[in-house]
Amino acid sequence: MELVQKALKGNRRAIARLISLAENEEKEAVTALREMFPLTGKAHIVGITGPPGSGKSTMTDKLVKELRKRGKKVAILAVDPASPFTGGAILGDRVRMSDLNLDEGVYIRSLSTRGKLGGLSKATHYAVKILDACGFDYIFIETVGVGQSEVDIIKTADSILVVTVPGLGDDIQAIKAGILEIGDIFIVNKADRDGANRVVIELEMMLGLNAEKDEWDHPILMTVASENKGIIEVVEAVIRHKEYLDKTGLLAERRRERLETEVLELVVQNMTRYVNEKFVKDGSFQEEVDKLVRKENDPYTLVQSILADTVK
Amino acid sequence: MSEKLIRVLVAKPGLDGHDRGAKVIARALRDAGMEVIYSGLRQTPEQIVAAAVQEDVDVVAMSLLSGAHNHLFPKVAKLLAEEGADDVLVMGGGVIPDSDIPFLKENGIAEVFTPGTPTGEVVNYIKNNVR
Amino acid sequence: MYDKEKLKEIALAKEEWEKGQVAKTLAKFKERKEEFATTSGIPVERLYTPVENQDFDYVRDLGMPGQYPYTRGVQPTMYRGRFWTMRQYAGFATAEDSNKRYRYLLDQGQTGLSVAFDLPTQIGYDSDAEIAQGEIGKVGVAIDSLQDMEVLFDQIPLDKVSTSMTINAPASVLLAMYIAVAEKQGVTVDKLQGTIQNDILKEYAARGTYIYPPGPSMRLITNIFEFCSKNVPNWNTISISGYHIREAGSTAAQEVAFTLADGIAYVDAAIKAGLDVDGFAGRLSFFFNSHNDLLEEVAKFRAARRMWAKIMRERFGAKNPRSWMLRFHTQTGGSTLTAQQPENNIVRVAIQTLAAVLGGTQSLHTNSKDEALALPSEESVRIALRTQQIVAYESGVCDTVDPLAGSYYVESLTNEIEKKAMEYIEKIDTMGGATKAIEQGYIQKEIADSSYAYQKEVEANERIVVGMNKFQVEEKPIEGLLRVDPSVGEAQVKKLKALKESRDNLAVKTKLSTLREAAKTDANLMPFILDAIRVYASEGEVCDVLREIFGEYRPVEIL
Ligand SMILES: Nc1nc2c(ncn2[C@@H]2O[C@H](COP(=O)(O)OP(=O)(O)O)[C@@H](O)[C@H]2O)c(=O)[nH]1
Ligand SMILES: [Mg+2]
């Protein structure tokens, strides 16, 4: 594909186009991904999650600037929720990163959840692969830590940064327990505010309870992202985690698992779509259900025949 | 599965800090089901174009009340064309005298909306003109 | 206040009236709307009587003009003594052009100057900065150095005129230039009268010409408070502005609430910096918008005065009555003007002028009819000024103090606005004050919500804007709008270049590095800025030094 060739040469418009194709689930996206797949697997993927307003975008901006100083190429996927009613969204994360706009070594893309279950994690997944193939050394995924689909997205990351801040009321409770479990590095941002130390202690306790004694030490770091304080430490922790994953073989293991999951999920998705198109759309599915209602058939036989038809 | 949504960059070029109009438009476009990327204040034409390209937007909608539109709007259109993104619909709004509109249209601005334009009109214009 | 028995009688009469006569009328003629509300969404009853003002207590709620809580006005005789200051905001292109406009306005009977700066000046960039291109001289005059300021006030005696300057982030720099011009004119600094806007919080919240983050910005502001209380005693050191909050789309109650919350933040900051509240509070001034909903606006001004008096006396324990007084400038509402049928704007401005005057303003700018289109022409500026003069000399509303007091409706609205605004202030207090509320995007979001709600009402024709969504006509494009020649930018750049070649650059360098060192300490920066300005350091150079030390503010955009 010509678009792929351009993207691989670093043309941002081509990269952007490919991500749109993936987002819109166009057929060409699959063609492109096929072509790009062999080139993937080099980028380190960093997930950054935490409540709205905790400073994720500010933090990403600063982390990326630090990585740029070290000569790394970085891409950012900033995910924001869409309105469940209209599907529209206002995506404002770029505002915090506008200095990076003109940096040739940085690519920023805003994505919305588009109110579709699962659809987003797939699009993000594809976007990560595209960016990985295009030679970005680090890929950041920013998302608010609420909702299953967001947890799913963040799970595609190699290193997961969980950001919290003092003064959220029930500080730690505000972080979804599920996210606490998957975090690799914990950041108490806005440490310029009162109560940061208390959050650190609470985090230590919670993590102590959860500790499933692995080698990784799950560091808790304090930052003031808006003032660029503590940023180098976070970058160092990310690099240390990357090395840890490499050394222990966990990276290869996780990536293998991820491929497994991806394939299984794609199978399910494709089958669902196939079934949809084949039966549901033309109304034949309703006829089959009518038969079930009249007890002329049973669900188990029906499923078997649908599946037999699908995998023919 | 997910259909294509129209993506719009709502941008504030120049130094003007009046963002009431930009914010109203951003919300109206969102409520019309579009994905709106908001640039924030004080963006240079170069920054706007970089964002438009990276975000693969269909539309760049700029709002400016300071009177610098003749200088800034065409520059954005020109830089977009240089990036090969001349299929992006470029629109402008704000305090823009009627007599400036022909000049802007000759210089790559597809449409200009002056004060008092209902947001519905902007929404329709985008829906009808995005390829 | 009201006799209990009498109140009962009135309540009974009202009930009978509603059940009888009103019901009968309604059966035949429906009212225009199910529910009536002010522009800001405060419900409006069919009729106001003493019953709706049961708790009214004259002495507590109103008092006498010139006395606590100043609901009726800050001076005892108000406009019977002297009209408000008629002060048209003006400035465009170069210092020469603006100087001409100022002298024209003074000739026409204007009584004070109000300087509009261009955006680069407001954001601390010289005319030769890349980002300034296209903006030079557009929304105001371009000032790069003391040299421009000397031209701006050429033949205008600074001991005779009072000057208001709409300048915020670099307020200290422009004030320094003004002082330096006065020195050159041989005017002693204690004679200077005027105002700098100097209100950074509303820049973050609504207007956008910020430079530095909140911490150092608040420091510069308190530096000015302190410097002026010692050296420029008649200078209004800040104009805490609701105007732009309202322009950004807030309601009237939000305008009062967010402005006073900002005011509280400044007083807090100054007290924290060790200043005595009565030492600076008398020099705080305010700036409000005047919209079309005449009586709501009057109520707003009255409520704001009463609230500030209470805040200063009760919350901050100020002892000097001057500290309790909310003195304010008003500008008619730019966002209420329409590009359609611009002549209609003259009428809107007249209503808004009445509102400001009936609300007891200390000074007033009336917008020109063509503001929604471009820079106002000389003719339209004159009509705007004449509007004020007609209200002053012909309408009769200036002949008694606070003529609307005691109106059941106006008093009730005054209470309602106070109540709503107070709720906001309490909420902001729990967030840790206005600075925090702005940093979290709370105030911005409240404003944007109101603005969007208003827009939707207009588009649904639930709200009529004459000439815009009703009573439209075909219109020809308007000719003869004033525009700023692009050559202004080039001329300004050339002038600056020449200055940089001719001035004592060693002195500039020395003064700037002294300023840089001072900025790292907690010294008052005003004297250092003044020193740099005196040797013709440019505005951009001074602001860059401070940018280096203070950093730059990043806005919160919560949509
Ligand atoms: N006081 C303080 N404010 C911060 C800090 N980091 C970010 N902020 C501010 O918090 C607000 C929200 O930040 P943002 O990055 O948009 O948060 P996100 O929603 O998690 O992406 C912005 O106003 C930032 O300037 C910090 O360390 N201290
Ligand atoms: Mg964010």
Side-chain angles (χ1 to χ4, degrees):
Chain A
M1 248 173 115
E2 198 193 325
L3 209 50
V4 171
Q5 289 315 311
K6 276 192 182 162
L8 293 178
K9 287 203 191 86
N11 179 310
R12 289 138 181 282
R13 188 156 161 74
I15 298 174
R17 270 287 148 87
L18 285 173
I19 294 179
S20 299
L21 291 178
E23 224 189 340
N24 296 323
E25 304 193 34
E26 312 268 359
K27 292 228 166 58
E28 296 106 297
V30 177
T31 320
L33 283 164
R34 252 183 221 141
E35 214 173 313
M36 296 175 105
F37 180 77
L39 299 169
T40 60
K42 294 188 213 84
H44 189 70
I45 301 152
V46 181
I48 179 159
T49 187
S54 55
K56 298 180 295 297
S57 300
T58 314
M59 170 85 52
T60 305
D61 177 64
K62 297 294 182 336
L63 294 175
V64 170
K65 280 183 184 141
E66 179 58 31
L67 286 167
R68 290 294 298 142
K69 273 193 211 154
R70 302 176 186 210
K72 303 295 178 196
K73 283 178 67 188
V74 191
I76 301 162
L77 296 170
V79 183
D80 272 327
S83 153
F85 304 108
T86 66
I90 295 179
L91 311 170
D93 293 313
R94 282 195 91 90
V95 175
R96 302 251 165 281
M97 309 175 190
S98 59
D99 294 352
L100 298 174
N101 264 355
L102 296 178
D103 184 336
E104 285 294 322
V106 179
Y107 174 89
I108 309 172
R109 176 64 173 246
S110 315
L111 298 171
S112 96
T113 53
R114 295 195 176 188
K116 298 250 157 78
L117 263 180
L120 172 70
S121 46
K122 198 161 115 196
T124 317
H125 218 96
Y126 287 171
V128 166
K129 288 223 168 84
I130 292 164
L131 293 165
D132 185 352
C134 290
F136 288 95
D137 301 303
Y138 284 84
I139 300 168
F140 281 74
I141 308 172
E142 175 194 335
T143 169
V144 283
V146 286
Q148 188 54 45
S149 75
E150 268 143 343
V151 173
D152 287 347
I153 299 169
I154 216 74
K155 275 189 186 157
T156 64
D158 301 319
S159 299
I160 298 172
L161 274 49
V162 177
V163 181
T164 184
V165 289
L168 283 180
D170 250 346
D171 294 328
I172 299 305
Q173 306 306 333
I175 312 177
K176 283 268 158 51
I179 290 223
L180 213 56
E181 279 155 26
I182 58 171
D184 297 306
I185 296 164
F186 293 85
I187 297 167
V188 180
N189 189 37
K190 307 202 183 183
D192 51 332
R193 298 215 175 137
D194 294 340
N197 284 318
R198 216 189 65 227
V199 182
V200 172
I201 293 169
E202 284 177 13
L203 266 176
E204 276 167 355
M205 281 169 53
M206 301 271 293
L207 290 174
L209 296 179
N210 282 338
E212 34 154 310
K213 304 288 170 251
D214 53 17
E215 304 284 302
W216 178 247
D217 59 355
H218 294 92
I220 303 171
L221 303 168
M222 281 207 260
T223 56
V224 185
S226 51
E227 292 168 28
N228 207 20
K229 287 188 185 143
I231 296 302
I232 292 182
E233 287 77 0
V234 177
V235 169
E236 296 294 343
V238 170
I239 291 172
R240 202 158 59 79
H241 187 246
K242 179 176 188 281
E243 287 165 359
Y244 161 80
L245 290 176
D246 273 333
K247 206 172 59 209
T248 53
L250 268 173
L251 189 65
E253 203 176 296
R254 280 196 192 178
R255 288 192 169 171
R256 194 190 160 85
E257 273 169 27
R258 239 180 270 143
L259 282 173
E260 276 172 24
T261 323
E262 186 183 354
V263 170
L264 291 177
E265 272 172 9
L266 280 175
V267 167
V268 172
Q269 276 167 18
N270 282 331
M271 276 173 96
T272 313
R273 184 187 304 166
Y274 181 83
V275 170
N276 238 324
E277 274 163 19
K278 182 95 185 172
F279 297 99
V280 181
K281 270 197 186 144
D282 67 0
S284 59
F285 183 60
Q286 286 309 321
E287 285 167 24
E288 292 300 326
V289 176
D290 288 341
K291 284 185 199 154
L292 297 183
V293 173
R294 294 196 298 266
K295 299 280 184 315
E296 291 166 15
N297 193 4
D298 66 86
Y300 319 101
T301 313
L302 174 60
V303 168
Q304 230 159 27
S305 67
I306 290 176
L307 281 183
D309 196 29
T310 314
V311 294
K312 244 186 341 216
Chain B
M1 265 209 277
S2 58
E3 75 256 49
K4 179 159 166 32
L5 296 185
I6 297 176
R7 285 170 70 85
V8 185
L9 176 68
V10 172
K12 285 284 306 166
L15 297 176
D16 171 38
H18 296 93
D19 55 5
R20 176 179 183 168
K23 283 181 172 169
V24 163
I25 283 295
R27 286 183 180 211
L29 299 181
R30 174 199 61 194
D31 291 349
M34 301 182 196
E35 282 180 1
V36 179
I37 292 109
Y38 184 60
S39 78
L41 300 181
R42 294 192 204 168
Q43 299 294 297
T44 62
E46 288 80 6
Q47 285 176 312
I48 290 171
V49 169
V53 166
Q54 293 177 29
E55 297 288 357
D56 191 27
V57 294
D58 307 291
V59 182
V60 173
M62 294 178 280
S63 156
L64 189 57
L65 276 70
S66 71
H69 47 268
N70 282 351
H71 180 79
L72 294 168
F73 289 0
K75 212 166 164 193
V76 169
K78 187 170 151 267
L79 290 171
L80 272 172
E82 282 173 20
E83 291 278 340
D86 43 5
D87 52 342
V88 174
L89 193 64
V90 184
M91 316 189 316
V95 181
I96 295 165
D98 290 339
S99 50
D100 285 352
I101 294 177
F103 170 80
L104 292 172
K105 288 197 171 171
E106 277 161 30
N107 284 279
I109 312 305
E111 192 52 277
V112 175
F113 295 98
T114 50
T117 310
T119 56
E121 216 170 276
V122 180
V123 168
N124 286 336
Y125 179 82
I126 291 177
K127 285 190 172 160
N128 293 333
N129 287 280
V130 162
R131 356 117 262 150
Chain C
M1 177 75 187
Y2 295 109
D3 180 90
K4 279 236 169 72
E5 286 305 307
K6 286 278 174 211
L7 267 178
K8 258 190 211 154
E9 233 174 80
I10 300 168
L12 207 69
K14 189 179 176 197
E15 205 186 319
E16 266 173 30
W17 170 75
E18 277 188 336
K19 284 189 178 146
Q21 209 176 357
V22 172
K24 244 188 247 159
T25 309
L26 286 180
K28 269 190 271 174
F29 308 104
K30 268 200 351 211
E31 290 180 328
R32 282 182 289 113
K33 290 187 262 187
E34 292 275 313
E35 281 167 6
F36 288 76
T38 65
T39 308
S40 297
I42 297 174
V44 178
E45 305 286 328
R46 181 174 298 116
L47 186 76
Y48 288 82
T49 68
V51 181
E52 287 72 31
N53 287 289
Q54 299 210 14
D55 304 326
F56 182 67
D57 177 335
Y58 183 88
V59 174
R60 181 197 64 197
D61 297 340
L62 304 189
M64 293 297 155
Q67 288 178 11
Y68 189 87
Y70 301 101
T71 314
R72 305 205 63 179
V74 291
Q75 293 121 6
T77 59
M78 288 302 290
Y79 309 132
R80 286 168 67 102
R82 185 172 79 71
F83 293 129
W84 60 94
T85 303
M86 299 178 191
R87 195 193 291 278
Q88 296 299 95
Y89 182 52
F92 60 97
T94 61
E96 284 85 355
D97 297 316
S98 298
N99 173 265
K100 247 185 251 154
R101 177 64 69 88
Y102 297 155
R103 289 198 276 146
Y104 170 80
L105 285 166
L106 291 171
D107 279 349
Q108 293 298 311
Q110 170 167 302
T111 47
L113 292 179
S114 175
V115 182
F117 296 101
D118 70 357
L119 283 167
T121 306
Q122 292 188 50
I123 306 177
Y125 293 117
D126 285 340
S127 298
D128 57 3
E130 175 57 34
I131 194 159
Q133 300 320 303
E135 310 268 18
I136 302 162
K138 284 277 161 62
V139 302
V141 58
I143 299 291
D144 290 324
S145 73
L146 176 56
Q147 191 182 41
D148 294 326
M149 203 73 159
E150 288 163 5
V151 175
L152 189 66
F153 292 104
D154 183 39
Q155 298 176 58
I156 299 173
L158 298 192
D159 51 345
K160 303 260 157 47
V161 71
S162 91
T163 304
S164 165
M165 295 191 275
T166 299
I167 194 76
N168 294 278
S172 50
V173 184
L174 275 296
L175 175 61
M177 288 186 191
Y178 195 79
I179 291 172
V181 173
E183 289 169 349
K184 302 224 153 171
Q185 286 189 0
V187 173
T188 54
V189 175
D190 61 319
K191 296 260 167 40
L192 293 180
Q193 285 185 50
T195 309
I196 38 174
Q197 199 160 75
N198 200 21
D199 171 11
I200 198 66
L201 290 175
K202 67 90 178 51
E203 296 297 331
Y204 301 137
R207 189 167 173 272
T209 69
Y210 41 73
I211 305 177
Y212 319 110
S217 294
M218 292 302 259
R219 168 194 176 178
L220 283 170
I221 291 168
T222 48
N223 283 176
I224 293 171
F225 287 3
E226 190 188 12
F227 178 86
C228 288
S229 73
K230 289 188 190 133
N231 304 290
V232 205
N234 295 319
W235 196 266
N236 295 316
T237 50
I238 193 167
S239 172
I240 307 163
S241 306
Y243 182 81
H244 318 91
I245 291 173
R246 190 70 180 276
E247 284 297 291
S250 83
T251 65
Q254 286 171 337
E255 181 188 355
V256 173
F258 300 151
T259 310
L260 299 192
D262 288 349
I264 290 170
Y266 295 123
V267 175
D268 269 331
I271 291 175
K272 227 185 195 167
L275 308 189
D276 169 44
V277 65
D278 284 314
F280 66 85
R283 296 313 325 174
L284 306 177
S285 64
F286 289 81
F287 174 19
F288 290 111
N289 206 313
S290 190
H291 268 224
N292 289 330
D293 194 328
L294 177 71
L295 299 177
E296 176 174 57
E297 293 300 291
V298 174
K300 176 187 80 181
F301 298 123
R302 300 172 83 245
R305 252 193 317 266
R306 183 160 74 202
M307 290 174 74
W308 188 246
K310 289 189 206 164
I311 289 166
M312 289 312 290
R313 187 167 160 172
E314 291 166 14
R315 180 173 180 145
F316 291 112
K319 303 229 161 44
N320 186 344
R322 213 188 142 77
S323 308
W324 306 334
M325 290 178 202
L326 178 144
R327 296 167 303 122
F328 68 100
H329 172 68
T330 307
Q331 179 170 337
T332 56
S335 64
T336 67
L337 304 189
T338 60
Q340 297 77 15
Q341 305 174 38
E343 292 72 24
N344 298 345
N345 292 330
I346 298 175
V347 182
R348 294 191 177 98
V349 169
I351 295 172
Q352 296 164 7
T353 302
L354 263 178
V357 169
L358 291 168
T361 195
Q362 275 58 62
S363 60
L364 179 63
H365 164 104
T366 33
N367 284 5
S368 302
K369 64 179 164 63
D370 43 13
E371 285 215 4
L373 303 163
L375 279 176
S377 65
E378 208 161 85
E379 186 221 355
S380 61
V381 173
R382 193 183 63 233
I383 297 174
L385 179 58
R386 294 291 180 257
T387 306
Q388 296 196 39
Q389 291 160 337
I390 289 168
V391 169
Y393 292 96
E394 301 182 17
S395 77
V397 301
C398 305
D399 297 346
T400 184
V401 178
D402 189 25
L404 291 181
S407 149
Y408 305 122
Y409 180 42
V410 170
E411 294 302 349
S412 159
L413 265 182
T414 306
N415 293 340
E416 199 57 35
I417 289 189
E418 174 168 0
K419 196 175 114 218
K420 284 190 178 245
M422 213 50 224
E423 281 166 12
Y424 267 119
I425 291 179
E426 279 160 13
K427 167 111 209 243
I428 291 167
D429 279 341
T430 63
M431 299 177 83
T435 313
K436 289 266 157 62
I438 289 167
E439 282 179 307
Q440 290 170 39
Y442 170 74
I443 290 180
Q444 297 90 310
K445 178 150 191 312
E446 288 296 302
I447 297 171
D449 285 349
S450 298
S451 138
Y452 193 47
Y454 177 87
Q455 180 70 20
K456 286 209 283 202
E457 283 172 24
V458 170
E459 294 189 10
N461 273 34
E462 286 160 19
R463 219 175 254 293
I464 300 305
V465 181
V466 172
M468 199 169 89
N469 60 0
K470 203 170 177 156
F471 313 115
Q472 298 101 318
V473 292
E474 277 297 319
E475 293 182 76
K476 292 200 296 278
I478 297 165
E479 309 280 322
L481 293 173
L482 181 62
R483 34 173 84 242
V484 176
D485 199 301
S487 68
V488 163
E490 291 153 37
Q492 197 64 25
V493 171
K494 232 186 246 158
K495 199 170 154 195
L496 181 62
K497 191 157 173 267
L499 172 76
K500 284 186 177 170
E501 278 160 16
S502 66
R503 67 185 181 183
D504 179 352
N505 278 308
L506 185 65
V508 171
K509 214 173 150 197
T510 317
K511 298 298 180 192
L512 287 178
S513 62
T514 323
L515 171 64
R516 183 178 296 111
E517 291 315 307
K520 293 179 190 160
T521 70
D522 55 10
N524 190 322
L525 295 181
M526 264 315 284
F528 298 95
I529 294 172
L530 193 50
D531 278 350
I533 289 304
R534 283 193 186 111
V535 297
Y536 295 90
S538 72
E539 191 214 11
E541 288 169 331
V542 171
C543 291
D544 277 345
V545 163
L546 298 181
R547 276 190 187 97
E548 225 178 89
I549 310 300
F550 295 159
E552 289 188 68
Y553 177 71
R554 270 309 181 76
V556 204
E557 301 285 359
I558 293 176
L559 293 141

